[in-house]
Protein backbone atom coordinates (compact mmCIF):
# COMPACT_ATOMS: atom_id res chain seq x y z
CA UNK A 1 0.00 0.00 0.00
CA UNK A 2 1.39 3.38 -1.03
CA UNK A 3 0.34 6.98 -0.34
CA UNK A 4 -0.68 7.36 -3.97
CA UNK A 5 -3.29 4.61 -3.50
CA UNK A 6 -5.56 6.75 -1.31
CA UNK A 7 -8.30 7.59 -3.84
CA UNK A 8 -8.50 4.05 -5.25
CA UNK A 9 -8.27 2.52 -1.77
CA UNK A 10 -10.96 4.80 -0.32
CA UNK A 11 -13.44 3.54 -2.90
CA UNK A 12 -12.83 -0.02 -1.70
CA UNK A 13 -12.90 1.12 1.93
CA UNK A 14 -16.34 2.66 1.36
CA UNK A 15 -17.56 -0.68 -0.04
CA UNK A 16 -16.14 -2.51 2.97
CA UNK A 17 -17.81 -0.14 5.43
CA UNK A 18 -21.08 -0.43 3.55
CA UNK A 19 -20.97 -4.23 3.74
CA UNK A 20 -20.61 -4.03 7.53
CA UNK A 21 -23.12 -1.15 7.76
CA UNK A 22 -20.58 1.14 9.39
CA UNK A 23 -19.70 4.80 9.10
CA UNK A 24 -16.30 6.13 10.10
CA UNK A 25 -15.32 9.78 10.33
CA UNK A 26 -13.17 10.93 7.40
CA UNK A 27 -10.40 12.04 9.80
CA UNK A 28 -10.19 8.52 11.25
CA UNK A 29 -10.18 7.02 7.75
CA UNK A 30 -7.33 9.31 6.67
CA UNK A 31 -5.29 8.66 9.83
CA UNK A 32 -5.76 4.90 9.48
CA UNK A 33 -4.66 4.98 5.85
CA UNK A 34 -1.63 7.12 6.67
CA UNK A 35 -0.66 4.82 9.56
CA UNK A 36 -1.01 1.74 7.33
CA UNK A 37 1.18 3.28 4.64
CA UNK A 38 3.79 4.49 7.15
CA UNK A 39 3.57 1.16 9.00
CA UNK A 40 3.22 2.90 12.35
CA UNK A 41 2.42 1.03 15.57
CA UNK A 42 2.78 -2.38 13.91
CA UNK A 43 0.21 -1.61 11.22
CA UNK A 44 0.62 -2.50 7.55
CA UNK A 45 -1.65 -2.63 4.54
CA UNK A 46 -1.53 -4.67 1.37
CA UNK A 47 -3.48 -4.13 -1.84
CA UNK A 48 -4.37 -6.39 -4.74
CA UNK A 49 -4.06 -4.76 -8.15
CA UNK A 50 -6.12 -5.88 -11.15
CA UNK A 51 -4.77 -6.33 -14.67
CA UNK A 52 -6.04 -2.85 -15.53
CA UNK A 53 -4.20 -1.23 -12.60
CA UNK A 54 -7.29 -0.81 -10.44
CA UNK A 55 -7.25 -1.84 -6.80
CA UNK A 56 -9.44 -4.90 -6.32
CA UNK A 57 -8.76 -5.77 -2.69
CA UNK A 58 -6.91 -5.00 0.51
CA UNK A 59 -5.84 -6.28 3.89
CA UNK A 60 -5.07 -4.18 6.97
CA UNK A 61 -3.09 -5.84 9.73
CA UNK A 62 -1.51 -5.05 13.09
CA UNK A 63 1.47 -6.89 14.57
CA UNK A 64 1.47 -6.86 18.37
CA UNK A 65 3.03 -8.55 21.39
CA UNK A 66 1.26 -11.47 22.98
CA UNK A 67 1.31 -12.79 26.52
CA UNK A 68 0.80 -16.26 25.02
CA UNK A 69 3.95 -16.50 22.89
CA UNK A 70 7.57 -15.40 22.76
CA UNK A 71 6.96 -13.98 19.29
CA UNK A 72 4.39 -11.48 18.16
CA UNK A 73 0.94 -12.11 16.72
CA UNK A 74 -0.61 -10.50 13.67
CA UNK A 75 -4.24 -9.44 13.68
CA UNK A 76 -5.69 -9.26 10.18
CA UNK A 77 -8.26 -6.57 10.99
CA UNK A 78 -9.75 -5.94 7.56
CA UNK A 79 -9.93 -7.93 4.34
CA UNK A 80 -12.01 -6.82 1.37
CA UNK A 81 -12.23 -7.88 -2.26
CA UNK A 82 -14.29 -5.81 -4.71
CA UNK A 83 -17.30 -7.66 -6.14
CA UNK A 84 -15.61 -8.01 -9.54
CA UNK A 85 -12.61 -9.75 -7.96
CA UNK A 86 -14.56 -12.27 -5.92
CA UNK A 87 -14.81 -15.93 -6.79
CA UNK A 88 -11.17 -16.19 -7.79
CA UNK A 89 -8.12 -16.39 -5.60
CA UNK A 90 -7.67 -12.69 -4.68
CA UNK A 91 -8.76 -13.15 -1.05
CA UNK A 92 -6.60 -16.25 -0.59
CA UNK A 93 -3.59 -14.52 -2.11
CA UNK A 94 -4.06 -11.48 0.14
CA UNK A 95 -4.15 -13.75 3.20
CA UNK A 96 -1.08 -15.67 2.04
CA UNK A 97 0.85 -12.44 1.45
CA UNK A 98 -0.25 -11.16 4.87
CA UNK A 99 1.09 -14.39 6.40
CA UNK A 100 4.41 -13.91 4.61
CA UNK A 101 4.82 -10.27 5.65
CA UNK A 102 3.80 -11.01 9.26
CA UNK A 103 6.17 -13.98 9.44
CA UNK A 104 9.04 -11.93 8.04
CA UNK A 105 8.43 -9.46 10.88
CA UNK A 106 8.59 -12.13 13.56
CA UNK A 107 4.91 -12.95 14.04
CA UNK A 108 4.18 -16.56 15.00
CA UNK A 109 0.40 -16.44 14.51
CA UNK A 110 -2.06 -14.74 12.19
CA UNK A 111 -5.64 -14.41 13.35
CA UNK A 112 -8.83 -12.69 12.22
CA UNK A 113 -12.57 -12.74 12.73
CA UNK A 114 -15.64 -12.15 10.60
CA UNK A 115 -19.38 -11.94 10.95
CA UNK A 116 -21.15 -15.26 11.40
CA UNK A 117 -23.38 -14.45 8.40
CA UNK A 118 -20.41 -13.85 6.05
CA UNK A 119 -20.69 -17.27 4.43
CA UNK A 120 -18.74 -16.47 1.29
CA UNK A 121 -15.70 -15.28 3.23
CA UNK A 122 -16.02 -18.10 5.75
CA UNK A 123 -15.80 -20.69 2.97
CA UNK A 124 -12.36 -19.25 2.16
CA UNK A 125 -11.36 -18.93 5.81
CA UNK A 126 -12.23 -22.58 6.43
CA UNK A 127 -9.62 -23.49 3.80
CA UNK A 128 -6.79 -21.19 4.94
CA UNK A 129 -7.26 -21.14 8.71
CA UNK A 130 -8.77 -23.00 11.64
CA UNK A 131 -12.07 -22.04 13.22
CA UNK A 132 -11.70 -21.57 16.98
CA UNK A 133 -14.22 -21.73 19.80
CA UNK A 134 -13.52 -18.15 20.87
CA UNK A 135 -16.38 -15.71 21.39
CA UNK A 136 -15.78 -12.00 20.86
CA UNK A 137 -16.93 -9.36 23.37
CA UNK A 138 -16.59 -5.60 23.07
CA UNK A 139 -16.97 -2.62 25.35
CA UNK A 140 -16.70 0.98 24.19
CA UNK A 141 -14.38 3.14 26.30
CA UNK A 142 -15.82 6.49 25.32
Amino acid sequence: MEASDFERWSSLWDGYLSFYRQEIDEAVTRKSFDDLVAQREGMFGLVAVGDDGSLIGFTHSVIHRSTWAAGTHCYLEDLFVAPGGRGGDVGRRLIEETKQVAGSRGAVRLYWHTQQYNGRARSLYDRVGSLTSRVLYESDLT
Side-chain angles (χ1 to χ4, degrees):
M1 186 179 278
E2 299 174 354
S4 61
D5 292 330
F6 182 74
E7 294 301 322
R8 298 179 302 158
W9 169 87
S10 63
S11 175
L12 290 177
W13 180 243
D14 289 344
Y16 180 73
L17 294 177
S18 178
F19 176 81
Y20 282 112
R21 299 179 185 104
Q22 297 294 313
E23 292 182 21
I24 295 180
D25 182 87
E26 180 62 33
V28 173
T29 291
R30 187 67 213 207
K31 178 169 178 14
S32 294
F33 179 83
D34 291 345
D35 288 346
L36 287 161
V37 169
Q39 300 183 28
R40 286 190 281 267
E41 299 182 35
M43 298 175 75
F44 67 94
L46 302 175
V47 293
V49 180
D51 293 335
D52 63 356
S54 65
L55 296 189
I56 57 174
F58 62 71
T59 61
H60 304 150
S61 301
V62 182
I63 295 177
H64 62 87
R65 284 279 304 124
S66 171
T67 60
W68 290 60
T72 55
H73 286 181
C74 182
Y75 174 44
L76 194 166
E77 187 164 12
D78 307 306
L79 181 142
F80 183 73
V81 176
R86 295 177 189 159
D89 67 346
V90 175
R92 181 193 58 76
R93 290 176 65 192
L94 280 164
I95 291 170
E96 292 302 322
E97 186 66 17
T98 300
K99 286 181 180 180
Q100 180 186 11
V101 171
S104 73
R105 296 179 184 187
V108 297
R109 171 167 288 141
L110 176 69
Y111 69 99
W112 63 96
H113 66 266
T114 192
Q115 296 290 339
Q116 185 176 4
Y117 62 78
N118 194 353
R120 188 170 203 169
R122 291 184 66 190
S123 68
L124 167 63
Y125 301 160
D126 287 344
R127 292 191 310 270
V128 299
S130 300
L131 182 63
T132 71
S133 62
R134 301 234 183 237
V135 177
L136 177 69
Y137 290 88
E138 295 179 329
S139 180
D140 288 338
L141 302 178
T142 56

